[in-house]
């Protein structure tokens, strides 16, 4: 049963009011948008992302509000600035409830006259807060280089660095420096939104304590098929191997090692010109040599989103 504390009620009321407070439209080349989404999901809660010290599947009500300002120059470059407010309320108790605010800025520009090459730079600063404590703040800076071979094939290379500052009262030694690199290739053989894509990536995170430092490699495959003009179905499979440094704990003098596998089928449907929704079902499994970090079970959820301006 979903329990709503005073914190939850106040938070969702604030988000709703903020979403309705729409600023006037800016000048012609500048587009201002406000989006609101609500979803209900059975989703993994990972140790360290909230207050919980275990990783497991939890039912959650999620609200997400986006305020975005985009400006396109006459040369084809695009500047974007915005704020995203995301709140998670979990069933049964409040221990993992959190609100995260992200401040986002990006710059995208074509690198050649034919627009085959594009470069996108992005910076995101996030602050996550529970009912009682700040959980963490995190800054990430990234670059993405895209090459469009032809109408059917596109390749993207990505590099991201980041710094996470954890509330030491919750997880001491969890401050992390991170580096992620990945490459994605998309194949679109025709004009009916059919898509096959594959991603391979590697990531390292170095924490103040070795037990929270790890190296990870993973892959993801996506298949999307249009069922109609308004509806499409997407299948996705992902897997990663994550190996930690140092002993997990004095009581468990072994290095933690996780293998996570997940599969999902999702149906998206466009409800109107300014609203859409999706529902998904799948399976998520994390096999770890540390029992408290293992979980296994069905995942599912539904979401509706609206463009308010």
């Amino acid at each position: 049963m979903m329990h709503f504390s005073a914190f939850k009620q106040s938070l969702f009321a604030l988000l709703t009011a903020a979403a309705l407070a729409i600023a006037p439209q800016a000048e012609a080349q500048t587009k201002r948008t406000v989006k609101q989404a609500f979803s209900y999901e059975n989703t993994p809660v990972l140790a360290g992302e909230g207050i919980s010290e275990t990783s497991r599947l939890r039912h959650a009500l999620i609200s997400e509000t986006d305020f975005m300002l985009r400006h396109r120059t006459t040369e084809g470059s695009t500047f974007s600035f915005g704020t995203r407010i995301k709140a998670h309320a979990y069933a049964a108790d409040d221990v993992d409830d959190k609100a995260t605010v992200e401040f986002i800025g990006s710059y995208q520009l074509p690198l050649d006259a034919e627009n085959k090459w594009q470069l996108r730079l992005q910076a995101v600063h996030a602050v996550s807060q529970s009912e009682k404590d700040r959980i963490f703040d995190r800054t990430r800076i990234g670059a993405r280089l895209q090459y469009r071979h032809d109408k059917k094939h596109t390749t993207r290379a990505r590099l991201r660095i980041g710094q996470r500052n954890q509330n030491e009262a919750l997880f001491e030694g969890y401050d992390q420096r991170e580096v992620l690199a990945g490459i994605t290739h998309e194949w679109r053989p025709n004009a009916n939104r059919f898509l096959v894509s594959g991603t391979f990536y590697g990531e390292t995170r170095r924490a103040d304590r070795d037990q929270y430092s790890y190296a990870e490699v993973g892959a993801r495959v996506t298949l999307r098929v249009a069922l109609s003009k308004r509806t499409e179905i997407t299948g996705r499979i992902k897997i990663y191997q994550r190996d930690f440094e140092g002993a997990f704990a004095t009581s468990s003098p072994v290095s933690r090692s996780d293998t996570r596998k997940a599969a999902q089928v999702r149906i998206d449907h466009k409800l109107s010109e300014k609203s859409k929704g999706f529902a998904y079902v799948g399976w998520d499994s994390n096999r770890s040599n540390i029992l408290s970090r293992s979980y296994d079970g069905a995942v599912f959820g539904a979401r509706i989103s609206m463009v308010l301006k």
Side-chain angles (χ1 to χ4, degrees), residues 188-194:
R188 302 170 185 262
N190 48 51
N192 65 0
R193 307 200 312 276
F194 181 86

Side-chain angles (χ1 to χ4, degrees), residues 80 104 106-109 118-122 142-145:
S80 298
I104 306 166
S106 68
Y107 175 54
Q108 182 169 309
L109 70 157
Q118 283 192 354
L119 177 65
R120 184 171 186 262
L121 306 174
Q122 185 178 58
R144 187 189 73 186
L145 182 63

Side-chain angles (χ1 to χ4, degrees), residues 33-248:
T33 58
V34 179
K35 297 180 181 179
Q36 177 63 51
F38 296 101
S39 58
Y40 187 81
E41 302 182 43
N42 186 43
T43 185
V45 177
L46 305 180
E49 290 301 309
I51 300 175
S52 174
E53 295 188 5
T54 60
S55 297
R56 62 199 190 281
L57 296 170
R58 297 283 306 278
H59 296 276
L61 179 65
I62 303 170
S63 172
E64 186 172 316
T65 308
D66 287 4
F67 302 86
M68 190 62 64
L69 185 68
R70 291 184 175 87
H71 178 78
R72 184 175 178 85
T73 68
T74 55
E75 294 80 15
S77 301
T78 302
F79 295 89
S80 298
F81 304 94
T83 302
R84 175 174 296 129
I85 306 171
K86 194 170 185 177
H88 289 73
Y90 292 94
D93 59 65
D94 300 324
V95 66
D96 286 311
D97 291 352
K98 64 180 179 181
T100 302
V101 181
E102 295 182 344
F103 303 94
I104 306 166
S106 68
Y107 175 54
Q108 182 169 309
L109 70 157
L111 299 180
D112 65 330
E114 296 180 346
N115 205 25
K116 285 182 172 290
W117 289 94
Q118 283 192 354
L119 177 65
R120 184 171 186 262
L121 306 174
Q122 185 178 58
V124 180
H125 181 71
V127 179
S128 188
Q129 176 78 28
S130 70
E131 182 172 359
K132 298 180 179 179
D133 302 290
R134 179 187 65 85
I135 303 173
F136 66 84
D137 61 82
R138 179 179 61 210
T139 301
R140 286 173 168 169
I141 300 173
R144 187 189 73 186
L145 182 63
Q146 174 179 295
Y147 177 66
R148 188 176 183 185
H149 305 260
D150 50 39
K151 292 183 178 180
K152 297 181 179 181
H153 295 274
T154 302
T155 301
R156 299 183 183 94
R158 178 188 181 196
L159 177 66
R160 188 188 73 201
I161 60 174
Q163 170 71 42
R164 174 187 174 121
N165 297 308
Q166 182 77 22
N167 184 344
E168 294 291 308
L170 301 178
F171 282 90
E172 187 176 355
Y174 204 81
D175 290 358
Q176 292 177 326
R177 285 76 61 194
E178 60 182 65
V179 179
L180 180 146
I183 188 165
T184 298
H185 185 80
E186 292 184 353
W187 177 51
R188 302 170 185 262
N190 48 51
N192 65 0
R193 307 200 312 276
F194 181 86
L195 167 71
V196 178
S197 72
T199 298
F200 180 78
Y201 72 92
E203 181 179 19
T204 61
R205 296 196 184 187
R206 293 293 175 261
D208 291 349
R209 288 189 176 181
D210 285 345
Q211 70 190 88
Y212 300 129
S213 299
Y214 63 79
E216 173 180 323
V217 291
R220 180 174 62 250
V221 177
T222 301
L223 172 65
R224 186 180 71 198
V225 179
L227 301 180
S228 68
K229 290 184 177 181
R230 290 179 173 266
T231 307
E232 60 188 30
I233 186 169
T234 303
R236 182 176 290 111
I237 298 173
K238 61 181 179 181
I239 183 171
Y240 73 62
Q241 177 67 38
R242 179 181 292 180
D243 295 314
F244 289 77
E245 299 179 1
F248 176 75

Side-chain angles (χ1 to χ4, degrees), residues 240-242 244 256-260 286-288 293:
Y240 73 62
Q241 177 67 38
R242 179 181 292 180
F244 289 77
R256 176 183 164 192
S257 180
D258 292 6
T259 301
R260 185 176 177 184
N286 190 69
R287 298 297 185 183
S288 176
R293 300 302 190 257

